[in-house]
Amino acid sequence: MAALAFVELDEGKVKKSSLEAVSYAHAVAGDVTAIVFGKTDDMDEVGKAGASKVLSVTDDKLSAPNIMAYASAIAEAMNQEGSDLLVLAKSSLGDPVSARVSIKVDASLASNVTDLPDTSGGYSVKKSIYTGKAFANTNLEGDKKIIIIKKNAIAIKEDGGSPEVVDFAPATNDSDFTVKTTKVEKAEGDILLPEADLVVSGGRGLKGPENWGMIEELAKTLGAATGCSKPVSDMDWRPHHEHVGQTGIKVSPSLYIAIGISGAIQHLAGVNSSKYILVINKDPEAPFFKAADYGVVGDAFDVVPKLTEAIKKA
Ligand code: FAD
C-alpha cells in the first residue's frame, strides 16, 4: 500500500498534527509521500516522521489555503503516486479538502481515527465519536481510503531519514478559484486557540475580569493561548472567541490548564482531545478532576502566581 500524507503549515512551520499524520501513514503503509503547500524549512521533520518523498507545491496561486484547488491537487498527486491511502490530521482545512478528494478519487473516508487499522477481516478503523465519549469501529470499503486522524492520538516517529523533495506543479483549473480566500493576519504575539499547543483557561472561580492578569502572565510565561468557560465570556469578562466547549472552540493542545473551572460536561466536550489536562481548583470534588491527568487542590490566587514564578525560574 502506498500512502500520501497531507501536511499543513502554520506560518511556514509544519503543524505537529501533520507530523502525527505522516507517522500514522508510515505505520500503516511504510511507503509515504507527503504533499506540502507553501515553503518551509521543516522538510527534514517530515522525513523524520516517515515520509521518504515530499511533493512541494510552491505555485503562488496555491500559497493561501483553497479548499477546491487543494482537493484537486491532492487527487492529482494520489493518481500520480499511485496512492491508495490518504492520511491527514483533523483540521478546519483538512476536513473539507478530504471530503472533496474522496469524491474525486472515489475513496471511503473515516474521521477522528485514533488507532491503526485492523485488517484481519476487512479494513476496520477505530474512531472517536460523541465528542470523545465513545468509540466506533468502521469498516472502510473500496480500493482507496482516506483517514483523518484525531489530534494527539498518534505518537510522532522521529527516526526517519531526509526525504527526497520534488517540485509538484498540479494542473490548476479556473473553476477551483471561484471562492476567494482572504488571509486574516493575527495580532502579533496572539496564539490562536484552535491551533494552540498549550492553553491556560479560566473559569468563574476567578471571580472577575480584573483577576485575569495572573492567567495572562502564566500563559505568556508558557507561550500558551488563553481560554475561558462559557459563563466567563457570557459575562463579558473575556471575549467570546476564547470560550471553550461544546458551544465554543474545541481545543486539542498538548497541555490544557483549567483554573477555577468546575468541569461541566459541556466544557469537557471542548477539551477532551487534549493530551494532558492540569486542573487547579479549590474544591477536591470538582468534576474536572475526574478528567484530569494532574490536579492541584488549592486556591487559584495562591497557586497560579507560584506556578508562574516556578516556571520562570526553571
Ligand atoms: P462554575 O461552575 O461556577 O465553577 C467554578 C469553579 O471554580 C468551581 O469548581 C469552584 O470550586 C472553583 N473555584 C472557585 N473559587 C476558586 C478559587 N479561588 N480557586 C480555585 N478554584 C476556585 N460551558 C462551557 O464552559 N463551555 C460550553 O461550551 C458550554 N456550553 C453549554 C451549552 C449548554 C446547552 C448548556 C446548558 C451549558 C453550557 N455550558 C458551557 C455551561 C456549563 O454547563 C457550566 O455552567 C459552565 O461550564 C461552568 O463554568 P465554570 O466552571 O467557569 O463555573
Side-chain angles (χ1 to χ4, degrees):
M1 180 174 252
L4 184 75
F6 170 38
V7 170
E8 286 188 51
L9 302 182
D10 180 15
E11 300 191 335
K13 305 289 298 171
V14 169
K15 286 188 180 178
K16 178 175 151 275
S17 55
S18 288
L19 295 177
E20 293 168 357
V22 175
S23 304
Y24 183 98
H26 182 269
V28 174
D31 177 17
V32 182
T33 297
I35 182 165
V36 180
F37 295 83
K39 297 188 180 103
T40 177
D41 294 330
D42 290 349
M43 293 303 191
D44 273 355
E45 297 296 310
V46 180
K48 279 188 202 160
S52 55
K53 180 175 168 187
V54 178
L55 301 179
S56 170
V57 184
T58 51
D59 184 341
D60 278 348
K61 260 177 119 178
L62 294 166
S63 60
N66 178 317
I67 291 165
M68 310 280 276
Y70 279 26
S72 297
I74 290 171
E76 187 182 327
M78 286 182 78
N79 290 333
Q80 174 185 300
E81 299 297 310
S83 322
D84 28 30
L85 175 67
L86 171 67
V87 182
L88 64 153
K90 190 158 178 58
S91 77
S92 54
L93 177 64
D95 288 3
V97 166
S98 54
R100 283 162 177 80
V101 176
S102 78
I103 303 293
K104 287 176 187 287
V105 302
D106 192 18
S108 51
L109 181 151
S111 182
N112 251 334
V113 171
T114 60
D115 225 328
L116 297 178
D118 175 0
T119 54
S120 53
Y123 202 96
S124 173
V125 289
K126 185 176 174 186
K127 45 187 266 182
S128 166
I129 57 170
Y130 299 130
T131 63
K133 283 194 256 343
F135 293 100
N137 291 309
T138 304
N139 202 43
L140 289 177
E141 310 278 348
D143 294 336
K144 289 200 164 71
K145 298 165 179 69
I146 299 177
I147 293 181
I148 305 175
I149 58 161
K150 186 177 177 192
K151 286 181 191 171
N152 288 325
I154 308 296
I156 297 174
K157 176 179 155 67
E158 291 177 347
D159 59 355
S162 279
E164 176 196 5
V165 180
V166 180
D167 285 334
F168 180 58
T172 50
N173 185 337
D174 284 348
S175 63
D176 285 339
F177 292 89
T178 50
V179 176
K180 188 161 169 45
T181 309
T182 309
K183 193 163 187 260
V184 179
E185 296 292 336
K186 63 184 180 187
E188 200 183 336
D190 265 11
I191 298 164
L192 296 178
L193 193 50
E195 302 293 345
D197 195 44
L198 297 168
V199 177
V200 178
S201 203
R204 201 151 45 182
L206 291 168
K207 319 287 185 229
E210 65 281 6
N211 295 323
W212 239 263
M214 66 178 185
I215 300 291
E216 285 171 338
E217 182 66 15
L218 176 57
K220 195 170 148 215
T221 307
L222 286 167
T226 48
C228 67
S229 65
K230 183 172 183 295
V232 164
S233 63
D234 287 347
M235 291 183 292
D236 280 338
W237 293 2
R238 297 298 289 177
H240 277 280
H241 63 76
E242 288 197 358
H243 152 201
V244 171
Q246 179 188 321
T247 48
I249 304 280
K250 314 249 180 322
V251 295
S252 41
S254 297
L255 177 64
Y256 185 80
I257 304 181
I259 303 167
I261 304 177
S262 57
I265 195 161
Q266 296 90 352
H267 188 85
L268 295 181
V271 308
N272 53 21
S273 290
S274 306
K275 191 163 185 185
Y276 296 106
I277 295 176
L278 163 64
V279 169
I280 300 171
N281 197 304
K282 70 176 187 184
D283 175 8
E285 301 299 322
F288 222 144
F289 283 119
K290 291 204 180 78
D293 299 283
Y294 302 95
V296 179
V297 178
D299 188 327
F301 297 94
D302 179 35
V303 174
V304 174
K306 285 183 183 157
L307 179 60
T308 307
E309 281 315 303
I311 294 167
K312 279 182 183 167
K313 280 188 198 144

